[in-house]
Amino acid sequence: MSKIEKALNKARTAGMLQVMSPAEPIAAGQAQFSNPETLSTGKTIAPTLEQRAISTGAISRMREDGLLGKDILVQNGIIYPEAGENATVRAFREIRTKILQKTGGRNGTIMVTSVTRHGGGSFVALNLGVAFAFDAGKTAMVVDCNFSNPTLQNLFGSRKNRGLTDYLEKSDIDVSEIIHPVGIERLRVVPSGGRREISAEYFTSFKMKSFLDSVARRYAERFIILDAPPMTETADTRILADLCDYALLIVPYGKVTEQQIIASAKAIGEKKLIGVVFNNNTRPPNVRWRKIFTNPFGILFRRRAYRIPKK
Amino acid sequence: MKFRSEHYIQLLINEAFQYRKTVVGLFIFINLSLLALGLSWPKLYTASTTILIEDKKIIQPLMQGAAVATEVADRARVFKDVIFGRKNMGRIIEAAGWLKNDPSPTEQEQITEGVIRRTKITNIGTDLIKIEYMDVDAERAYKTTKNYADLFIAESLAAKAAESKAAFDFIEQQADVYHQKLTKAEEQLKEFRSENLETRPGSDADIGSRLSALQQKIEQSTDELKDLEIKKKSIEGQLSGEAEVATVLSREGQYRARIAELQSQLDTLRLSYHDTYPDIIRIKHQIEDLNDAIAADRKNREAAKAAGKITIDESVINNPMYQQLRRDLSQVKINIDTQAARVAEAKRDLQREIDLGKRVHGGEAALAELTRDYQVNRDIYQDLQRRREAARVSMNLDKERQGLNIKIEEPAVLPLQPSGIQFIHFILAGFFLSIAVPVGLLYAKIELDPRVINGSSITDKCKLPLLAEVPHLWSPRETEEVQRGLTWQYLLIIGTVVGIAVIASVNTVNVLSQ
């Protein structure tokens, strides 16, 4: 990365300029061209069909290499469009549709937070991003804001990537350096970077706000999804909620009471809360009952078809 | 109901899947526990016997009213009263061999209580009682049941005989007492009668009629007496008046008539003779004598009058009226005396009759009392005598065992099969509980757990928009692992069921082959 590029990036993060990332030069250029209102108002607006066409073209030119296979996706708890009849996939499509209905088709920053720890917030955030990215005309970016318990890092395996904390802490890191493709079409991920216990200072920083603004503006059809820490665990999530356009509350199965849900919804605020997702992880999978009953030993002595995949 | 009913099935399935290992573990644990309980459960043998108690036999209608058959109402209660006493229970447990190890009195008490607890007595209809006894030892169950029946029959008959004997003795004693009373009453009555002869039935009426006759007589006599008195008074009045006038008129009249006669003779003589004629002188002298006699008589009468004396002279007595009145007066006097005597007599009679009447009245009251005593005693005695004979017959009935027909209808037999809760019941209970308990626990969890397990709670209770319900994304590997796990659990359940079935059938075969 040249010095000029770094300078441009700095200017862009300060909200003054829109600069193309080297990974997405053409798309960025198109975005700049196609979003004059975004520049002038600093707010996302609903794109026209024409703009969408241009944007789609730009998105289609996003460089995607090393896409992950379905097996690996599914082993990592990530949906894929071909599994259309899968209940989980259907559920995410439904969520996506409802969000689009509520936002009027505008892109925006959506914070996904669970009521409690292990509530499936990261799972929903990632898959919601994937669901948005199903559409060839849309792109999504999942930002891991859960500094104390980051999970998106797992997508990269043992590969160490720069993340949000690195970007916020260091001034010489460009935005493009923390946005990583993960092998899923039209999906970009910003990992959390190093593990941090206190996240409030990051969320309140100006850099954080400008970062969110800049990534939202890059593509008119890009949905920024923030994987936020659980509501009941830290008050920092509320700070993060202020930075977002919308918030999605995840209710895990059998872990929280109605009062906790109501308290969390109140903390987020009625305006921001776009809806609640009930993460019911108890529904049994489609097992072959007949085979279990008729030929149980056949199941037990068969070689495992699925090996643990390498990430 | 926290949720709508259609949610429950899905929630139960979800929860059962989530806690599938626990559910399967509970299933196996409950089944095996009840299997073990069933195997270790003591086998209880029940022996039963039926006793027929029939007291309405042919003899009863025949002896209707004369003999009273003892009633046996609630036979099971009677049995308990008869047998569960200390004495009889002592005999029962001794005969069953409980006392072989020489237990302490406390232990004996416990044994007795245990035996009573395991004994069941039921009324079958009105005449049958069924005695059931349960024991771990078949032989002992049989013996005890048989002893129950024998002892009950013996005790019942003895009790009945004793009861009728006691009744007879009592009635006989009472009959004797009344016999004595009756004899005494008879004695008293006899004594009284001999003492009060006039006191006989009807004497009261006689006295009454006699009294009235006497009273009538007295009244009549009194009236007559009064009449006679009046008559007497009138006669006396007449008599006194008559006598006095007759006297004056007769003597002076005679004197004056004589004087007149003499005067006429004198006058005649004077016509022919001188006063000196002797005849005239004699006549003159006679007239003078007669005047003197009149004067003397007057003088006498006045003197008598002054002295209150009635002077009667010869001329008065000879007055026929006076005589007649005197006769009448004396007659009336006699009549008065007679009547007075009659009245007095009648009054005496009346008084005597009144006294007699009083005496008769008193005697009659005493007699009535004595007679009543006698009659009451006689009635009671006669009744008692009848009763005594009836009681004697009843006693003889019981002695001859004719009054109560009590016999063993169905004798006790040695039980070959254990009774009570069978092994198979434990197995069935195990299956039932092993399904019901986990389902119940899961239901309780769903119902009581305040945490949200259903998407509808978010919309219904939290009033928040629910975008979707995201099920877990099962990867093929996870699905396969779950399938393997479920297969293992299925095999465990099948294994448990088959194992229990094999053990149950072996157990049944063992029992049957014993």
Side-chain angles (χ1 to χ4, degrees):
Chain A
M1 194 180 283
S2 69
K3 283 187 176 175
I4 300 163
E5 278 174 339
K6 283 183 181 174
L8 277 170
N9 268 331
K10 273 189 183 171
R12 190 179 60 194
T13 52
M16 295 159 70
L17 274 171
Q18 278 244 296
V19 180
M20 290 174 284
S21 154
E24 318 157 354
I26 304 157
Q30 292 294 336
Q32 195 179 19
F33 174 73
S34 64
N35 270 343
E37 293 96 333
T38 315
L39 274 176
S40 59
T41 60
K43 285 207 167 183
T44 54
I45 53 156
T48 62
L49 203 62
E50 195 189 339
Q51 286 168 336
R52 185 170 291 177
I54 298 164
S55 181
T56 308
I59 290 164
S60 66
R61 286 189 289 278
M62 281 171 77
R63 198 170 67 202
E64 304 287 358
D65 39 26
L67 292 178
L68 296 172
K70 289 173 202 165
D71 293 352
I72 294 168
L73 285 176
V74 91
Q75 297 300 351
N76 285 289
I78 299 167
I79 58 171
Y80 56 97
E82 288 79 6
E85 282 315 301
N86 185 291
T88 318
V89 176
R90 264 188 290 147
F92 277 111
R93 281 202 162 115
E94 198 183 333
I95 297 165
R96 182 194 65 190
T97 310
K98 282 183 177 168
I99 289 173
L100 286 173
Q101 273 172 5
K102 292 200 179 184
T103 59
R106 276 194 296 265
N107 73 334
T109 318
I110 303 165
M111 182 186 80
V112 176
T113 178
S114 168
V115 178
T116 182
R117 186 190 273 261
H118 304 304
S122 300
F123 166 75
V124 174
L126 181 59
N127 280 303
L128 188 60
V130 174
F132 276 120
F134 277 179
D135 185 358
K138 292 201 188 323
T139 173
M141 188 165 86
V142 183
V143 182
D144 194 346
C145 295
N146 197 347
F147 295 157
S148 59
N149 190 21
T151 49
L152 290 181
Q153 187 62 42
N154 299 344
L155 289 169
F156 303 100
S158 55
R159 191 148 50 94
K160 197 79 183 143
N161 282 312
R162 282 181 167 176
L164 189 56
T165 52
D166 300 319
Y167 172 75
L168 294 173
E169 280 168 2
K170 294 165 193 167
S171 56
D172 60 337
I173 296 176
D174 187 66
V175 174
S176 58
E177 286 178 57
I178 58 168
I179 300 173
H180 303 282
V182 284
I184 298 163
E185 274 187 303
R186 297 177 291 282
L187 182 76
R188 293 294 180 266
V189 168
V190 176
S192 71
R195 185 184 288 266
R196 300 289 184 276
E197 287 305 322
I198 301 154
S199 46
E201 55 192 71
Y202 295 99
F203 297 155
T204 49
S205 70
F206 178 72
K207 216 176 175 185
M208 178 74 185
K209 191 170 161 45
S210 63
F211 162 73
L212 289 176
D213 283 345
S214 70
V215 291
R217 284 194 204 111
R218 180 169 291 192
Y219 294 103
E221 298 291 332
R222 170 176 275 173
F223 285 85
I224 315 295
I225 293 152
L226 302 184
D227 177 12
M231 283 300 291
T232 51
E233 204 157 284
T234 166
D236 302 346
T237 313
R238 298 182 192 190
I239 302 164
L240 202 53
D242 291 338
L243 300 175
C244 300
D245 299 322
Y246 310 108
L248 196 63
L249 189 63
I250 313 299
V251 174
Y253 179 96
K255 280 184 181 160
V256 293
T257 61
E258 283 150 14
Q259 283 71 29
Q260 283 176 305
I261 297 169
I262 292 166
S264 300
K266 213 179 237 177
I268 290 166
E270 213 173 286
K271 277 186 185 171
K272 289 268 167 86
L273 184 67
I274 201 165
V276 180
V277 170
F278 185 52
N279 185 21
N280 183 355
N281 56 6
T282 56
R283 190 171 281 189
N286 290 323
V287 292
R288 284 174 288 177
W289 288 106
R290 182 185 268 186
K291 198 159 187 186
I292 291 175
F293 293 144
T294 54
N295 187 14
F297 295 105
I299 291 173
L300 292 181
F301 296 124
R302 200 180 59 183
R303 279 173 64 84
R304 280 188 171 82
Y306 294 93
R307 300 272 106 200
I308 298 162
K310 282 176 184 163
K311 288 181 181 171
Chain B
M1 294 289 274
K2 246 167 81 175
F3 306 108
R4 287 194 290 274
S5 53
E6 66 262 26
H7 288 147
Y8 273 100
I9 302 286
Q10 188 59 49
L11 287 172
L12 273 177
I13 291 170
N14 287 356
E15 291 284 313
F17 176 70
Q18 203 177 7
Y19 298 103
R20 53 192 181 275
K21 284 179 184 164
T22 316
V23 167
V24 172
L26 262 179
F27 177 86
I28 294 169
F29 173 75
I30 291 170
N31 266 313
L32 291 181
S33 303
L34 279 163
L35 175 73
L37 194 63
L39 287 173
S40 61
W41 194 259
K43 281 175 192 155
L44 288 174
Y45 293 89
T46 304
S48 75
T49 180
T50 314
I51 299 175
L52 176 78
I53 309 166
E54 205 176 35
D55 55 354
K56 287 185 178 65
K57 281 199 62 182
I58 190 162
I59 197 79
Q60 204 181 4
L62 287 177
M63 296 301 291
Q64 191 79 47
V68 182
T70 27
E71 285 278 331
V72 189
D74 183 357
R75 301 185 192 287
R77 195 179 55 75
V78 171
F79 180 91
K80 283 175 192 164
D81 292 346
V82 170
I83 295 299
F84 289 166
R86 185 177 289 273
K87 187 187 82 177
N88 286 326
M89 281 315 289
R91 277 151 74 179
I92 293 278
I93 63 169
E94 191 179 0
W98 286 103
L99 304 182
K100 270 180 196 162
N101 299 331
D102 203 17
S104 69
T106 322
E107 285 168 340
Q108 278 189 34
E109 190 70 27
Q110 283 166 353
I111 289 167
T112 309
E113 276 173 16
V115 170
I116 289 173
R117 206 170 44 243
R118 291 194 298 275
T119 308
K120 199 174 133 197
I121 296 129
T122 38
N123 284 314
I124 306 172
T126 49
D127 291 342
L128 285 173
I129 58 167
K130 188 175 186 185
I131 305 161
E132 284 172 293
Y133 174 69
M134 205 185 270
D135 204 307
V136 287
D137 187 347
E139 177 82 19
R140 202 160 55 196
Y142 161 71
K143 265 191 191 168
T144 306
T145 312
K146 190 174 173 296
N147 286 337
Y148 269 140
D150 294 347
L151 201 59
F152 176 63
I153 288 172
E155 287 284 329
S156 294
L157 291 173
K160 226 167 123 54
E163 193 188 339
S164 45
K165 174 84 168 64
F168 173 75
D169 287 348
F170 175 75
I171 291 171
E172 194 175 48
Q173 181 211 342
Q174 288 297 309
D176 285 349
V177 168
Y178 273 92
H179 183 248
Q180 281 169 15
K181 277 188 185 173
L182 189 63
T183 319
K184 201 172 161 192
E186 266 174 346
E187 282 293 327
Q188 279 174 345
L189 201 60
K190 207 162 84 184
E191 218 168 278
F192 179 81
R193 277 198 175 135
S194 60
E195 275 171 14
N196 299 282
L197 283 175
E198 71 274 25
T199 312
R200 58 180 188 282
S203 52
D204 197 24
D206 286 355
I207 290 165
S209 64
R210 275 209 303 276
L211 274 176
S212 65
L214 279 172
Q215 264 164 350
Q216 210 176 348
K217 196 174 163 188
I218 289 168
E219 271 170 29
Q220 211 177 338
S221 302
T222 313
D223 284 349
E224 274 177 30
L225 197 63
K226 276 178 187 163
D227 286 352
L228 287 172
E229 288 288 347
I230 293 163
K231 201 173 174 183
K232 183 190 155 195
K233 265 184 192 160
S234 113
I235 289 171
E236 271 173 355
Q238 278 179 8
L239 194 64
S240 59
E242 196 66 36
E244 211 155 324
V245 172
T247 309
V248 172
L249 284 179
S250 61
R251 198 172 282 182
E252 272 189 30
Q254 279 175 346
Y255 284 143
R256 285 186 195 275
R258 190 78 189 144
I259 290 171
E261 201 182 316
L262 288 175
Q263 202 66 39
S264 63
Q265 271 178 12
L266 189 55
D267 286 343
T268 318
L269 282 169
R270 266 183 182 168
L271 286 163
S272 1
Y273 303 108
H274 299 298
D275 292 335
T276 58
Y277 187 63
D279 280 343
I280 291 172
I281 297 171
R282 192 198 29 108
I283 286 171
K284 276 187 176 174
H285 278 295
Q286 271 181 330
I287 288 166
E288 277 177 15
D289 281 350
L290 280 169
N291 279 335
D292 286 345
I294 285 170
D297 202 39
R298 277 195 182 156
K299 212 177 164 183
N300 271 349
R301 201 162 64 227
E302 271 161 20
K305 216 176 193 175
K309 278 182 185 172
I310 298 165
T311 51
I312 299 162
D313 48 52
E314 299 90 65
S315 61
V316 169
I317 291 164
N318 289 329
N319 189 353
M321 189 63 189
Y322 186 82
Q323 291 294 325
Q324 185 60 37
L325 284 173
R326 285 293 297 247
R327 263 199 306 276
D328 286 354
L329 184 65
S330 75
Q331 188 61 42
V332 166
K333 277 183 177 170
I334 288 165
N335 282 348
I336 283 173
D337 285 347
T338 312
Q339 284 302 336
R342 200 172 281 167
V343 167
E345 178 63 29
K347 277 187 177 166
R348 266 202 308 282
D349 280 355
L350 188 69
Q351 190 57 47
R352 206 176 57 234
E353 285 299 324
I354 286 168
D355 289 346
L356 182 65
K358 276 181 186 165
R359 216 163 50 240
V360 164
H361 274 300
E364 262 181 2
L367 181 68
E369 200 181 325
L370 284 174
T371 314
R372 196 167 53 238
D373 278 359
Y374 168 76
Q375 276 174 347
V376 166
N377 282 330
R378 190 190 59 194
D379 287 351
I380 292 177
Y381 176 67
Q382 282 172 349
D383 190 43
L384 278 173
Q385 257 186 330
R386 263 201 306 279
R387 280 177 197 281
R388 181 171 60 186
E389 289 318 305
R392 194 198 303 281
V393 175
S394 292
M395 185 176 71
N396 287 340
L397 271 181
D398 285 339
K399 218 181 260 175
E400 300 287 322
R401 301 195 169 181
Q402 290 294 310
L404 176 75
N405 183 18
I406 180 164
K407 64 177 185 186
I408 296 173
E409 183 78 5
E410 193 187 304
V413 289
L414 191 67
L416 300 173
Q417 285 250 18
S419 59
I421 306 176
Q422 305 270 311
F423 180 66
I424 190 74
H425 296 146
F426 284 97
I427 300 301
L428 292 175
F431 278 128
F432 173 74
L433 286 178
S434 62
I435 291 164
V437 167
V439 170
L441 287 174
L442 289 176
Y443 180 81
K445 183 187 177 294
I446 290 171
E447 196 69 12
L448 299 175
D449 196 347
R451 294 174 296 188
V452 174
I453 52 168
N454 193 13
S456 63
S457 303
I458 295 165
T459 50
D460 295 351
K461 296 196 178 140
C462 305
K463 311 284 180 206
L464 292 170
L466 179 69
L467 295 186
E469 199 168 302
V470 179
H472 183 72
L473 182 67
W474 293 99
S475 68
R477 190 168 65 88
E478 277 177 318
T479 309
E480 193 179 324
E481 288 306 315
V482 167
Q483 193 157 302
R484 273 170 186 270
L486 287 173
T487 311
W488 273 117
Q489 283 146 13
Y490 167 68
L491 285 178
L492 276 173
I493 288 170
I494 291 291
T496 310
V497 171
V498 169
I500 287 170
V502 168
I503 293 169
S505 47
V506 167
N507 193 276
T508 314
V509 168
N510 278 347
V511 168
L512 290 177
S513 62
Q514 267 173 9

